[in-house]
């Protein structure tokens, strides 16, 4: 049926464009921080959420880089 091609599931293929994903995450985090600093918020709840989500995005990017460098992720 498949001939000489190996049969693989879609989740076995490596995702592409890792670098553009990292750049997108960092730019999104920067945009969230700018929104928190330059927004017209009266309370601080919105600022806390925006900065918290930006910090989470940056933590994910840093953790991914550390895990890839140490060889724990492919």
């Amino acid at each position: 049926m498949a001939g000489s091609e190996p049969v693989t599931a879609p989740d076995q293929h490596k995702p592409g464009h890792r670098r553009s994903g990292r750049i997108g995450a960092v730019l999104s985090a920067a945009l969230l921080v700018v929104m928190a600093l330059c927004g017209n918020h009266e309370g601080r709840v919105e600022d806390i959420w925006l900065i918290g989500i930006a910090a989470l995005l940056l933590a994910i990017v840093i953790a991914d880089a550390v895990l890839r460098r140490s060889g724990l992720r492919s």
Side-chain angles (χ1 to χ4, degrees), residues 5-73:
E5 294 183 29
V7 178
T8 59
D11 61 346
Q12 290 176 327
H13 302 290
K14 288 188 176 182
H17 308 292
R18 248 182 245 135
R19 185 173 180 197
S20 61
R22 286 181 182 174
I23 292 171
V26 171
L27 289 177
S28 297
L31 181 66
L32 288 171
V33 170
V34 168
M35 285 171 47
L37 295 176
C38 299
N40 58 354
H41 309 129
E42 291 184 18
R44 289 291 176 201
V45 176
E46 297 92 349
D47 295 340
I48 292 170
W49 274 99
L50 290 171
I51 292 174
I53 293 171
L56 179 66
L57 279 173
L58 292 176
I60 290 171
V61 169
I62 291 169
D64 181 57
V66 168
L67 288 176
R68 286 189 192 283
R69 191 165 290 184
S70 65
L72 295 175
R73 283 187 79 178

